[in-house]
Amino acid sequence: MKKIVILGSSGSIGTQTLDLVSKMKNTISVEGLSVYRNIETLKKQIIRFKPKAVSVQDPADAENLKKWRAPKNINVEIYSGHSGLRRLVEMPEADTIISAVVGAAGLKPVVKAIECKKNIAMANKEALVMAGNEIMRLAAKNKVSVLPVDSEHSAIFQCCAGEKKSQIKKIILTASGGPFYKYDKDFSEITVEQALDHPTWKMGKKITVDSATLMNKGLEAIEASVLFGIPIERIEIVIHPQSIIHSMVEYVDGSVIAQLSNPDMKLPIQYALTYPERIKGNIKPLDLSKAGKLEFYDPDFKKFPCLTLAYNAAKKGGTMPAVMSAANEAAVAAFLNKDIKFTGIADIVAKTMKAHKVKKTHKIDDYVEADAWAKIYSKSLINKNKER
Ligand code: MG
């Protein structure tokens, strides 16, 4: 029996994980859940999965939840804030933490979980971009595994099984291209509604905008570099609009190994939950003769400057990827709020990176500080933009 805690249980990955858990009867127990502020979803999850403890961001929400629990005689501990997340990952009953938090907020709980010797199923790509080398170093030191939940990284992980890292020539990361890889009008006129209309994947808002700017692929290139210990220069991106091949690994002998399936996040989530086993899946089987044409294109770094920014951040190293990702988080929020244009996202990220002095460090707090600095700096740029 695997005993899990899900951080971010009301989001897209969190709810799909719980769907899978309910189908995998008697093999997984849910010990803890956290949400940011989606209390109504959390209540339903408490009734259905009976966790021992839950955590919410706001203490006032925690108080309301306690009042709801009492008359119903539900036996669940209720925590809040950063300390609440810490208490969830420390739970002695849990052996695996599913980190499905969006953004930098996921970093500290994951570090704490690793220090408590819990295995990690990682869907929180921002934490890996922010301080991935430190996460992997700590995981090795504490002898725990960090399993990817992202579809591309799950694919790479499967393509690397039983192979020697020294024999990998390059990683080929596939990208759907988002809604705009063929768009030839003015990118500055792209609306929030257009950006949220993703052709192949249904996901949360932040990642959907990141997929439209291709920043998602930039973040994933850094994520792959960190998870698999391959320099960013040997991570290549190819646009593959059908999202059937989820990524590939090329070896020194010229062999290229790929992982294929219909696009459905349930597969990488399930694999992270059952690894090293495979169990019967719940996804639509792949029929290649019906899948039609599989296409591949080079990405356009000029049209999608976020890709260049991500590669540059990885090459600079140290705190730069954290700053790049933090500025992007702030800029995407501003775009969703209609404070800046679509093209403003890359501008804000570029200007924030330019103003940052890189620090090479092993201290997690330095990465947290770089993230906080970048958010303040980029928000000041956004506000200046609004005043004009
Ligand atoms: Mg992905």
Side-chain angles (χ1 to χ4, degrees):
M1 180 90 99
K2 201 167 248 182
K3 295 177 172 182
I4 65 169
V5 166
I6 305 176
L7 305 181
S9 66
S10 63
S12 168
I13 299 290
T15 52
Q16 291 185 76
T17 304
L18 285 171
D19 276 351
L20 280 167
V21 167
S22 59
K23 287 186 181 110
M24 294 159 67
K25 283 195 186 76
N26 304 324
T27 55
I28 297 181
S29 80
V30 178
E31 304 295 323
L33 297 171
S34 89
V35 302
Y36 188 62
R37 55 169 57 119
N38 191 342
I39 307 303
E40 292 313 310
T41 300
L42 180 60
K43 284 180 184 169
K44 287 180 197 138
Q45 293 176 343
I46 291 172
I47 292 168
R48 183 144 184 219
F49 296 97
K50 301 183 177 59
K52 293 192 181 70
V54 297
S55 187
V56 295
Q57 181 56 33
D58 189 340
D61 284 337
E63 287 313 309
N64 287 334
L65 212 48
K66 282 176 192 166
K67 284 181 200 139
W68 166 81
R69 171 192 62 181
K72 292 188 157 68
N73 271 327
I74 291 171
N75 198 6
V76 60
E77 293 291 330
I78 296 166
Y79 309 131
S80 66
H82 293 301
S83 64
L85 292 179
R86 198 172 59 235
R87 293 182 76 163
L88 285 188
V89 303
E90 281 172 350
M91 288 174 76
E93 296 91 345
D95 52 50
T96 304
I97 310 296
I98 322 287
S99 178
V101 172
V102 179
L107 176 62
K108 282 218 156 172
V110 158
V111 168
K112 188 72 201 169
I114 294 171
E115 286 169 351
C116 295
K117 309 215 184 295
K118 315 287 185 185
N119 289 318
I120 309 291
M122 193 67 166
N124 174 212
K125 65 184 71 180
E126 292 88 353
L128 279 174
V129 169
M130 200 175 159
N133 289 325
E134 299 313 313
I135 291 176
M136 298 311 283
R137 198 174 57 84
L138 279 173
K141 192 177 136 195
N142 287 285
K143 301 189 173 63
V144 299
S145 56
V146 179
L147 292 178
V149 172
D150 215 343
S151 61
E152 294 80 357
H153 304 80
S154 178
I156 297 162
F157 185 67
Q158 294 177 63
C159 297
C160 290
E163 303 283 350
K164 291 195 178 100
K165 192 170 95 180
S166 59
Q167 293 169 355
I168 294 175
K169 189 176 169 200
K170 64 183 176 194
I171 287 173
I172 305 162
L173 200 60
T174 54
S176 71
F180 306 123
Y181 79 100
K182 275 185 173 166
Y183 195 78
D184 54 8
K185 291 180 206 142
D186 185 352
F187 271 52
S188 70
E189 300 300 323
I190 289 171
T191 65
V192 171
E193 292 69 28
Q194 284 174 300
L196 288 180
D197 190 16
H198 194 278
T200 50
W201 291 101
K202 202 177 158 5
M203 308 172 286
K205 276 186 185 175
K206 196 256 174 187
I207 185 172
T208 305
V209 174
D210 284 346
S211 299
T213 60
L214 291 198
M215 180 56 100
N216 183 51
K217 215 43 61 175
L219 296 173
E220 288 184 352
I222 301 176
E223 193 186 355
S225 167
V226 164
L227 279 170
F228 303 104
I230 301 292
I232 195 82
E233 290 81 359
R234 288 201 276 137
I235 296 174
E236 201 174 277
I237 293 169
V238 64
I239 305 287
H240 167 45
Q242 292 78 20
S243 301
I244 296 287
I245 296 181
H246 299 301
S247 276
M248 297 170 261
V249 177
E250 182 178 331
Y251 289 90
V252 286
D253 60 358
S255 250
V256 179
I257 301 182
Q259 186 261 340
L260 291 74
S261 75
N262 279 313
D264 191 330
M265 279 309 292
K266 289 223 166 75
L267 183 54
I269 298 170
Q270 176 175 309
Y271 191 63
L273 288 175
T274 63
Y275 175 82
E277 303 298 324
R278 290 181 187 271
I279 61 163
K280 192 176 172 300
N282 287 299
I283 72 163
K284 191 175 147 216
L286 177 63
D287 182 344
L288 275 177
S289 66
K290 293 202 175 70
K293 223 201 284 177
L294 299 188
E295 300 165 288
F296 304 93
Y297 307 99
D298 282 330
D300 187 336
F301 280 71
K302 282 215 180 74
K303 263 164 103 173
F304 297 96
C306 285
L307 274 182
T308 310
L309 292 170
Y311 272 79
N312 286 348
K315 283 174 198 161
K316 282 263 190 311
T319 47
M320 192 58 102
V323 162
M324 186 269 308
S325 180
N328 180 60
E329 265 187 62
V332 169
F335 171 68
L336 286 170
N337 204 29
K338 305 191 176 173
D339 290 336
I340 59 169
K341 292 183 171 195
F342 186 77
T343 44
I345 297 172
D347 288 345
I348 299 284
V349 175
K351 282 179 184 148
T352 308
M353 283 172 67
K354 210 172 167 199
H356 178 61
K357 284 189 195 71
V358 178
K359 191 168 173 183
K360 307 256 170 175
T361 168
H362 287 312
K363 281 207 292 222
I364 293 292
D365 281 337
D366 287 334
Y367 295 95
V368 174
E369 208 172 282
D371 170 86
W373 172 85
K375 280 180 182 150
I376 292 167
Y377 189 88
S378 52
K379 275 175 197 159
S380 74
L381 295 175
I382 292 160
N383 286 335
K384 261 187 230 161
N385 193 69
K386 268 202 292 196
E387 282 154 21
R388 257 189 268 145

